[in-house]
Amino acid sequence: MNIVFLHHSTGSYIWNGTKRTFFHKVASRISDRLSDMMTKSPRIPFHIQAHNAEHNTDYRITELPFPKKSPYGWNNYPYDYYNIWVKNAGIKPYMEEPTLEMLTQDYQTIIFKHCYPASNIQPDQDSADINSDVRTLANYKLQYNALKKKLHEFPDTKFILFTGAVQVQYYLPEDEAKRAKAFYDWTINEWNEEDDNIYLWDLYALQTEGGLYFKDDYALTPYNSHPGGDFSKRVSRLFANRIIDVVENDGKKTTLTGEILQ
């Protein structure tokens, strides 16, 4: 079982399960390899390997920046997954980024997420446009519905999607936070389907605990919407639980946040 985690910076904090220091940040600007060398035992691979050792399984997980900074750009919002995987689908990469036709040849489980600026959702315009990168609820819903249809074309592949990462209150106006909550509610209650090949991991619920914002105590600082070290360590265990449960039990034995059901 080959698993890939497509992500950017928020994902790296959870992947590593530890606080990224100033030196990690400097190293990451030099090269991803140097940053990885400074990070001891990222927690997600550690949890997966521990499960393999205990249960005689062979799950292999890797991480992949998606999309890369160049040439596509550091954007992984609903429009961008739609743009790369639906609008420009095929056996060849789009702007050097792998399509689903390519990724599903190498990986049986694909995990993807959005960066926290996805929560900066603007008021709907006069009409929705699936080909627009403007972040509105109406556009997001069109793009998500197209993505779901596309993911269903690969029934032998399991997909795990994070619910939307949200920001600390300092950076998120209340109207945008309410739209982010509305999109979250729609994703959980309407877009998500039972017994298909798409599964959710509920980062939003872990970040907000019922509120509208990423709790300051859980963030890196009240002025930085990346996950803090203690939060990252705790939720990396839950994330690993969810991955293993999706692979083994179609997600039936954990909650959406990754708590193991008794």
Side-chain angles (χ1 to χ4, degrees):
M1 170 65 70
N2 293 318
I3 307 165
V4 65
F5 178 29
L6 310 175
H7 70 88
H8 288 163
S9 56
T10 293
S12 347
Y13 285 83
I14 295 170
W15 172 268
N16 290 318
T18 55
K19 179 181 282 189
R20 278 161 52 99
T21 67
F22 170 79
F23 298 104
H24 285 105
K25 295 175 186 176
V26 172
S28 67
R29 293 192 180 101
I30 298 170
S31 78
D32 292 335
R33 181 179 177 83
L34 179 60
S35 179
D36 289 343
M37 290 173 62
M38 294 181 62
T39 302
K40 296 181 179 179
S41 301
R43 303 313 291 172
I44 296 302
F46 172 83
H47 292 313
I48 299 296
Q49 290 163 11
H51 181 87
N52 286 337
E54 183 176 354
H55 298 278
N56 197 30
T57 50
D58 187 20
Y59 306 144
R60 305 173 187 181
I61 188 166
T62 189
E63 58 174 340
L64 184 68
F66 186 90
K68 299 183 294 295
K69 293 180 181 179
S70 178
Y72 186 88
W74 205 242
N75 300 304
N76 65 354
Y77 309 117
Y79 166 79
D80 302 291
Y81 286 108
Y82 159 78
N83 190 33
I84 297 169
W85 287 351
V86 182
K87 187 177 180 180
N88 292 285
I91 60 173
K92 296 182 179 180
Y94 175 70
M95 296 184 70
E96 300 184 13
E97 297 301 335
T99 62
L100 284 179
E101 285 78 8
M102 298 169 64
L103 287 166
T104 53
Q105 294 298 308
D106 297 322
Y107 303 103
Q108 292 78 52
T109 298
I110 298 172
I111 307 165
F112 64 107
K113 61 173 290 297
H114 310 299
C115 286
Y116 55 72
S119 59
N120 294 121
I121 302 178
Q122 305 305 304
D124 283 341
Q125 300 179 326
D126 291 339
S127 60
D129 182 358
I130 195 170
N131 292 302
S132 172
D133 62 359
V134 177
R135 299 172 201 159
T136 68
L137 279 173
N139 290 348
Y140 275 11
K141 290 178 181 180
L142 287 179
Q143 290 152 1
Y144 255 47
N145 283 333
L147 273 170
K148 179 165 67 173
K149 184 177 179 181
K150 184 67 180 178
L151 300 182
H152 285 169
E153 293 180 11
F154 304 91
D156 295 329
T157 304
K158 294 182 176 182
F159 297 93
I160 302 175
L161 169 64
F162 283 32
T163 55
V166 72
Q167 299 180 64
V168 293
Q169 186 170 2
Y170 183 83
Y171 285 111
L172 193 61
E174 184 177 359
D175 61 328
E176 294 180 8
K178 288 180 176 177
R179 292 187 203 105
K181 176 64 162 58
F183 183 63
Y184 165 78
D185 289 339
W186 177 83
T187 301
I188 292 282
N189 299 317
E190 298 184 46
W191 183 82
N192 189 39
E193 294 183 9
E194 295 291 333
D195 301 320
D196 68 355
N197 63 330
I198 307 170
Y199 306 87
L200 297 177
W201 183 57
D202 201 349
L203 175 64
Y204 183 96
L206 291 167
Q207 287 185 312
T208 63
E209 293 187 345
L212 287 177
Y213 307 98
F214 190 9
K215 295 184 69 171
D216 287 351
D217 290 345
Y218 293 164
L220 199 60
T221 76
Y223 311 103
N224 188 320
S225 297
H226 289 102
D230 291 340
F231 178 83
S232 297
K233 183 177 181 180
R234 175 170 64 87
V235 304
S236 70
R237 172 73 267 185
L238 298 174
F239 180 32
N241 289 349
R242 186 66 175 162
I243 295 169
I244 293 165
D245 184 42
V246 165
V247 168
E248 295 185 343
N249 311 297
D250 292 332
K252 303 292 187 184
K253 295 187 177 181
T254 53
T255 65
L256 293 185
T257 56
E259 299 283 354
I260 296 174
L261 295 169
Q262 301 300 321

